[in-house]
Amino acid sequence: MIVYFLLIVSLFVTFTGVLLASFLPVRLKAAIGLLTVLVNAIISSLPAVRAIGGNSTAMVMSGSFIFGDIPLRIDALSGWFILIINFTSITGAWYGTGYLKAYSERRSRLSMHWISYILVHFSMTAVCVIQNGLAFLVAWEIMTFSSFLLVIFEHHQKETLRAGINFLIQSHIGVLLLSLGFIYTSTRTGSFSFDSIRQLTEGMLPTASLGLYLCFFAGFAFKAGFVPFHSWLPYAHPAAPAHISGLMSGVIIKTGIYGILRMILLIKTDYTSLGYIILSVSVLTGIYGVMLAIVQHNIKKMLAYHSIENIGIIGIGIGLGLLGIGINSRVLVICGFAGALMHVLNHSLFKSMLFYSVGSVYQATHNLNIEKSGGLIKKMPHTAMLFLVAALAICGFPPFNGFISEIFIYLGMFRGLSTSNSGLAVPMIVSIFGFTFIGGLSMMCFSKAFGIVFLGKPRQSYAHEPVEAANSMLAPKYLVMIMIVVIGLLPVLVIPLLSESVMLFIRAGFSLSGQVFQGNQALSSVLPVHLLTMIGICSAGFILLVTLVFLVRRTITRNNPVSIGPTWGCGYTGNSEKMQYTASSFVRSYRKLAEPMFSIHQTKSPVEGLFPEKVQHETHVSDKMEEKFISLPLEKIRSVFDRFSFLQNGNTQTYVLYGVLFITFIMLIPFIIDIFRYIMSF
Amino acid sequence: MIAFVLIFLVSLFFTGFINRTKSIVSGRKGPGILQPVRDILRLMKKGSVYSETSSVIFRIAPLIYFSSIVMAVLVVPFGSDSGLISFDGDFVFFAYILALGKFFMIIAALDTGSSFEGMGASREALFSMLAEPVFFVLIGSFSLLTGCTSFHNIFISLNFSSYISYATGAMATFVLIMLAMTENSRLPVDDPKTHLELTMIHEVMILDNSGFDLGLILYSTGLKFAMYGALISNFFIDSFPFYISIPVFLAVQFSFAVVAGLIESFMARFRMSHNAQFIFALASVSLMIFIGVLLMTGKLI
């Protein structure tokens, strides 16, 4: 009963929040948005926490005759995602209250924004709870549409609107694929409920269910951003306000991951082939995402490509876990799925923090171009420090949380190598190669991003001197930072929360191999607790060591003279900020190496004469996959449809004629059928 | 623990041995073995000059760089005696903590706003990115061979039995030596003795460091060399008792220093654009090791 109560309260709160957000004065809108998200988050966290502890909550809502019964269920997997969604939604709304102060004269826009924010949070939670295909699609659609409204906050800019519509259309291709999958199962079973998918696929040929799974996978991959379905991300993220980019990259795309994981639990299929497919797509996604991230000039676009890379890392974990189910290796299942789920949490933390920090930089300098920034660490020390922590975490460096998920995935791959299964060795070494490559590239990328944006001297003169972000924008970031550090230092406390979710996948594997699973057997013995403690100790030890060396340095150099001078310029003292290395020059040798993989547009004016005029050199790297898979087919489709453009001649009479012809055709259908039958009867 | 002490001892002499080898080969008497240590101690007592452009990052980077190498040293085992830190997947920790140190050196170089140091930072980032897979594929091969996933277990269960295994062992030693040369920015990838900023990698990144910080960075080089030497010597130590293994360890370190000195005497630095190819070649050698291991374990087909 308590569940019904929670559901009703949550609906009521959402409804009131939406109403209040539209009618209250501007200064209260943000507060009501934050408050509604907070209350909803608390309500949904209660059953989610229970579910993570192993007590799943379930109830059935009686839908209309269209939906059938709508089962709602929060199991460990849903619970994990709900908690992640809640955390990032709260920090996003909190940061948003500070961020949107600059827009306080735009009344209607702010109403729309906060209404959409409340709805997107509510619908994301709903997506994780609903176990009925049709109702799931409705929630999915509300989520997509309200995130579209959030993205186009600055809709007076043409670019923003274009990016938003691009996102909307691509999301709907995904919805189309999902609908196909759900409609197929409902025609075969007569029900939209998720259980019917399970029952249907249990009786199917593995290849047929693999096809069904891949249909769902492609649909969810559009949301998650797997290559080649990723091309909306690099447009939508830069267009959206900073906290929305953080929310999108942190959790909205993760609903795609949730869908992929949920379908693994529902669809019985050939897990080994599926594992290979997802693993190869993910390695490709990871490498492709980070390769393009390095050469971006717009810092938000760079972060968007990094989201693609991190989705790849999560996918590698999922692929490993699936292979583990397929070959019946418990270690692989645990390392793979625990790594993937952990990385979902980690990425939501550091990526949202990166976007929030970049948002503060944008508000201080009105500039997102990496080439034109620099030296911000002196003006904005807090933002710089927070960005650095998040950058280190996203590269997977030890004292922070990224390392925890990456070491799980590494362990999975190395354990996969050393299992007795001989077919696994080569795919594993390829994945290891790809994964280390991703790690190295992201280190290069973030050393560039942090080094160029925050260090050195400013590369342009600012109209207003940049100042540190307001406290309301710093506080949520510090909250995220605390999470990042705590997970990094005390993984022992966090990883056990995953045991129930991982257990779901282990059970899925067991039911496949026909073995009977006995209770909680030996999960704790396989979950590498020793490893986690050691990682925590090592990370803490590292911090201690740095402090120790610092103290030693201070003691030894206490009486030594310290002087400040100009940067050593090799005898040349005209130290100008123009002489600094830029982002483009930093990645030039890399770009030259990777040139065959990109399509690069260069404009260059040569240096001529004894007293050269101003010269310029511009490079833009465009997304080859997007050109091949999105732009080219669109071009073809457009050229086909152009042949029919004579129909659209702008003449009202002709349009009336089309209407008449159409209605006549509809009315003639029974007659045509009769004729057809008559002919067939001979 | 014993590994840590030995690596620390060796690190004091390592650079001295390299320098002595080079001077003997070029017909000079050369400075004493302990000259590098004396230089470092002298630097540590000196005052420092900081660039007005630089920020706190520049001041903490050498500390983090040094500490990262010390942490990595703690992971390295010594024969049957495991390192102070030893857990499943400790080599991931080893590689990532080293990368963390490098990350800080790179951003510290960018912090000075000098174009030379930016150049060095760019190269360091690129080459260390390329070198990362080499190490992991190498460890992957041995993990496949032994079925273990930590340094200690890999090295104690490694035993050479067939011709292929000798071949892979030799190749692995080659890869590790070259990796050490790359990671330490020595020939053939980088020349520490060059006097033109445009052609340097590591040296150009630390142009602005002085005093204690510079001493720390210079000492780190020796420590890093000794660390890779210890990894190589683990191939040979097996699980002998200490009175055999310690001399073997020292001998391996000594020959590693001599080899490094000989390489530096007889090779020229590669053109900067060829370095990437060289590291790719290393990656393919480590893939060959992997194939060799597949052959040995009969998993190729």
Side-chain angles (χ1 to χ4, degrees), chain A residues 294 377-378 388 391-392 395-400 403 406-407 410-411 414-415 417-423 425-426 429 432-433 435-437 439-444 446-448 450-452 454-457 459 528 530-531 534-535 537-539 541-542 545-547 549-550 552-553 556-557 560-570 575-576 579-581 585-590 593, chain B residues 44-57 59-60 62-64 66-68 70-71 84-93 96-97 99-100 102-104 106-108 110-126 128-130 132-134 136-137 139-141 143-144 146-149 197 207-208 212-213 216 276 280 283 287 290 294 298-299 301:
Chain A
I294 294 184
I377 194 170
K378 296 196 189 71
L388 180 62
L392 293 173
C395 293
F397 289 133
F400 302 107
F403 183 65
E406 293 208 0
I407 200 170
Y410 267 117
L411 259 187
F414 280 100
R415 285 291 178 79
L417 264 184
S418 44
T419 52
S420 52
N421 194 306
S422 59
V426 174
I429 204 78
I432 290 173
F433 201 97
F435 199 61
T436 50
F437 218 55
L441 285 166
S442 55
M443 167 174 146
M444 187 175 185
F446 276 97
S447 56
K448 169 192 118 172
F450 182 77
I452 304 289
F454 289 99
L455 303 178
K457 284 183 191 165
R459 288 175 178 77
H530 168 66
L531 163 79
M534 278 309 285
I535 293 174
I537 293 173
C538 293
S539 301
F542 177 67
L545 186 63
V546 174
T547 328
V549 180
F550 176 77
V552 168
R553 179 173 79 174
I556 292 182
T557 61
N560 293 351
V562 171
S563 56
I564 307 290
T567 299
W568 196 74
C570 191
N575 247 330
S576 147
M579 285 179 62
Q580 292 179 91
Y581 240 43
S585 39
F586 187 77
V587 298
R588 183 175 174 275
S589 22
Y590 159 78
L593 270 184
Chain B
M44 286 188 166
K45 285 181 204 144
K46 280 188 165 188
S48 334
V49 184
Y50 289 106
S51 157
E52 61 206 7
T53 318
S54 66
S55 64
V56 62
I57 298 289
R59 298 186 185 211
I60 60 166
L63 307 178
I64 293 181
F66 174 73
S67 314
S68 74
V70 173
M71 281 314 271
L84 206 59
I85 299 170
S86 172
F87 53 87
D88 239 7
D90 51 4
F91 48 81
V92 181
F93 182 77
Y96 270 61
I97 200 91
L100 174 69
K102 252 183 276 171
F103 185 95
F104 268 90
I106 291 169
I107 59 174
L110 289 172
D111 198 13
T112 59
S114 145
S115 51
F116 295 123
E117 295 182 40
M119 195 179 289
S122 156
R123 289 169 183 163
E124 175 91 352
L126 180 69
S128 55
M129 179 270 281
L130 292 173
E132 205 114 304
V134 180
F136 275 100
V137 171
I139 295 295
S141 314
S143 148
L144 172 68
T146 58
C148 301
T149 47
E197 287 84 354
L207 278 179
D208 262 278
F212 188 88
D213 293 350
L216 210 55
F280 271 130
L287 278 178
F290 181 73
L294 279 181
K299 285 184 178 176
I301 309 126

Side-chain angles (χ1 to χ4, degrees), chain B residues 203-221:
Chain B
E203 300 305 309
V204 79
M205 285 170 67
I206 55 171
L207 278 179
D208 262 278
N209 288 94
S210 54
F212 188 88
D213 293 350
L214 186 60
L216 210 55
I217 294 170
L218 289 182
Y219 175 63
S220 305
T221 307

Side-chain angles (χ1 to χ4, degrees), chain A residues 423-673:
Chain A
L424 226 50
V426 174
M428 284 301 129
I429 204 78
V430 173
S431 320
I432 290 173
F433 201 97
F435 199 61
T436 50
F437 218 55
I438 295 172
L441 285 166
S442 55
M443 167 174 146
M444 187 175 185
C445 190
F446 276 97
S447 56
K448 169 192 118 172
F450 182 77
I452 304 289
V453 174
F454 289 99
L455 303 178
K457 284 183 191 165
R459 288 175 178 77
Q460 64 169 0
S461 51
Y462 298 110
H464 306 283
E465 200 58 12
V467 285
E468 181 57 85
N471 283 339
S472 62
M473 285 152 85
L474 285 177
K477 282 188 275 185
Y478 272 105
L479 184 66
V480 181
M481 192 192 87
I482 290 170
M483 286 289 284
I484 287 178
V485 174
V486 165
I487 296 176
L489 290 180
L490 297 170
V492 148
L493 298 182
V494 186
I495 294 284
L497 300 179
L498 277 170
S499 58
E500 277 303 316
S501 322
V502 175
M503 203 61 138
L504 288 175
F505 292 99
I506 294 179
R507 284 202 196 98
F510 264 91
S511 67
L512 180 83
S513 58
Q515 285 165 274
V516 183
F517 190 83
Q518 292 157 358
N520 275 5
Q521 69 173 32
L523 184 71
S524 54
S525 69
V526 189
L527 251 184
V529 179
H530 168 66
L531 163 79
L532 295 171
T533 339
M534 278 309 285
I535 293 174
I537 293 173
C538 293
S539 301
F542 177 67
I543 294 172
L544 276 180
L545 186 63
V546 174
T547 328
L548 189 72
V549 180
F550 176 77
L551 291 176
V552 168
R553 179 173 79 174
R554 217 178 54 177
T555 327
I556 292 182
T557 61
R558 181 171 292 148
N559 300 320
N560 293 351
V562 171
S563 56
I564 307 290
T567 299
W568 196 74
C570 191
Y572 181 76
T573 47
N575 247 330
S576 147
E577 72 279 354
K578 284 184 185 161
M579 285 179 62
Q580 292 179 91
Y581 240 43
T582 60
S584 295
S585 39
F586 187 77
V587 298
R588 183 175 174 275
S589 22
Y590 159 78
R591 202 193 67 222
K592 288 274 173 202
L593 270 184
E595 207 148 23
M597 321 250 188
F598 299 144
S599 59
I600 300 179
H601 307 289
Q602 277 194 38
T603 49
K604 209 177 195 174
S605 56
V607 185
E608 278 170 350
L610 288 176
F611 301 100
E613 293 284 297
K614 195 175 179 182
V615 291
Q616 62 165 16
H617 176 209
E618 253 183 68
T619 49
H620 286 286
V621 179
S622 57
D623 194 332
K624 212 170 187 174
M625 290 268 189
E626 186 192 358
E627 284 177 357
K628 286 266 156 60
F629 288 99
I630 308 282
S631 305
L632 194 70
L634 267 185
E635 205 96 318
K636 299 272 184 225
I637 292 171
R638 197 174 290 157
S639 74
V640 170
F641 281 115
D642 270 353
R643 290 171 193 279
F644 298 96
S645 62
F646 69 92
L647 292 172
Q648 190 189 16
N649 53 11
N651 194 341
T652 321
Q653 286 94 326
T654 333
Y655 293 157
V656 173
L657 180 65
Y658 295 154
V660 172
L661 285 178
F662 180 70
I663 294 169
T664 328
F665 175 71
I666 295 290
M667 291 198 308
L668 283 178
I669 283 177
F671 183 60
I672 294 170
I673 290 172

Side-chain angles (χ1 to χ4, degrees), chain A residues 225-305:
Chain A
F226 278 100
V227 169
F229 311 114
H230 66 283
S231 66
W232 62 270
L233 276 114
Y235 293 104
H237 284 72
H243 59 294
I244 300 307
S245 314
L247 185 78
M248 286 242 284
S249 195
V251 290
I252 297 181
I253 61 171
K254 302 295 160 44
T255 53
I257 297 291
Y258 168 78
I260 288 167
L261 289 171
R262 173 62 65 197
M263 286 303 154
I264 291 172
L265 291 179
L266 292 177
I267 295 180
K268 297 274 168 281
T269 177
D270 178 4
Y271 288 113
T272 317
S273 327
L274 185 60
Y276 283 130
I277 293 172
I278 292 190
L279 192 63
S280 36
V281 169
S282 306
V283 172
L284 182 73
T285 303
I287 294 180
Y288 190 73
V290 70
M291 279 184 81
L292 271 165
I294 294 184
V295 288
Q296 300 304 321
H297 304 301
N298 180 318
I299 188 160
K300 275 179 127 182
K301 207 164 180 176
M302 181 203 97
L303 292 179
Y305 275 110

Side-chain angles (χ1 to χ4, degrees), chain B residues 8-19:
Chain B
F8 174 74
L9 276 180
V10 168
S11 70
L12 297 176
F13 302 99
F14 206 97
T15 330
F17 273 121
I18 295 180
N19 289 345

